[in-house]
């Protein structure tokens, strides 16, 4: 970027977080729906042992293996959503709405590896609360741990980033 943009404060990040939380819930639900179709088919065909349960959903919600596998699948896709958009355009859907961009502190775009590290240190969004204690630098926990920053784009720069 030729012109440096100011770092985002907590309120703007919170607004973006709310939008992205709703998107993450939608991705989570869609991933759950997608996995349920083959699971129900395999259960009905007897390929998955019912283990005494009358309904497939009872087994899915009760057996540690299926619970773990199902949750891991859904959380993978939620994580993929964030990493994909951060690495592709530096913005999730919520970030676009609030004109935010994640980038390295030198202004260069982040890659998938950095996106994965950011996701880990985000702590389900709680890492953003660090900004409240770092008013001078406006860096979240995930920013500090990955040498990244979230900046506020001008309206023109945000339009250019979307195009």
């Amino acid at each position: 970027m030729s012109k440096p943009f100011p770092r985002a404060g907590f309120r703007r990040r919170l607004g973006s977080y709310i939008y992205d939380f709703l998107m993450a819930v939608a991705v989570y639900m869609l991933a759950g729906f997608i996995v349920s179709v083959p699971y129900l088919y395999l259960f009905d065909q007897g390929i998955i042992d019912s283990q005494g349960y009358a309904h497939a959903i009872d087994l899915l919600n009760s057996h540690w293996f299926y619970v773990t596998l199902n949750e891991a699948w859904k959380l993978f896709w939620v994580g993929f959503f964030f990493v994909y958009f951060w690495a592709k355009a530096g913005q999730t859907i919520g970030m676009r709405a609030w004109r935010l961009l994640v980038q390295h502190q030198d202004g260069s775009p982040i890659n998938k590896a950095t996106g994965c590290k950011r996701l880990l240190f985000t702590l389900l969004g709680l890492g953003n609360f660090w900004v409240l204690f770092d008013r001078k630098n406006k860096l979240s926990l995930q920013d500090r741990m990955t040498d990244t920053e979230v900046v506020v784009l001008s309206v023109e720069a945000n339009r250019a980033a979307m195009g």
Side-chain angles (χ1 to χ4, degrees), residues 6-27:
R7 288 185 178 154
F10 179 75
R11 280 182 267 169
R12 192 171 281 270
R13 287 174 185 252
L14 181 62
S16 171
Y17 175 81
I18 291 169
Y19 279 50
D20 286 336
F21 174 78
L22 294 172
M23 285 303 304
V25 168
V27 169

Side-chain angles (χ1 to χ4, degrees), residues 20-39 56-57 59-83 119 124:
D20 286 336
F21 174 78
L22 294 172
M23 285 303 304
V25 168
V27 169
Y28 182 88
M29 290 171 60
L30 181 61
F33 173 75
I34 289 170
V35 79
S36 68
V37 173
Y39 171 77
I57 197 68
L59 176 62
L60 183 64
N61 290 329
S62 301
H63 194 279
W64 69 269
F65 177 76
Y66 295 114
V67 169
T68 304
L69 193 61
N70 187 34
E71 291 304 313
W73 166 263
K74 293 184 286 190
L75 292 175
F76 167 80
W77 285 106
V78 170
F80 179 83
F81 164 78
F82 285 101
V83 172
L119 188 63
L124 301 174

Side-chain angles (χ1 to χ4, degrees), residues 60-115:
L60 183 64
N61 290 329
S62 301
H63 194 279
W64 69 269
F65 177 76
Y66 295 114
V67 169
T68 304
L69 193 61
N70 187 34
E71 291 304 313
W73 166 263
K74 293 184 286 190
L75 292 175
F76 167 80
W77 285 106
V78 170
F80 179 83
F81 164 78
F82 285 101
V83 172
Y84 174 80
F85 282 104
W86 286 338
K88 183 176 186 328
Q91 296 177 300
T92 59
I93 294 167
M95 292 174 80
R96 284 186 182 187
W98 286 86
R99 296 191 345 250
L100 300 179
L101 177 79
V102 63
Q103 62 185 12
H104 285 285
Q105 290 185 16
D106 65 4
S108 63
I110 69 168
N111 57 27
K112 291 174 189 149
T114 303

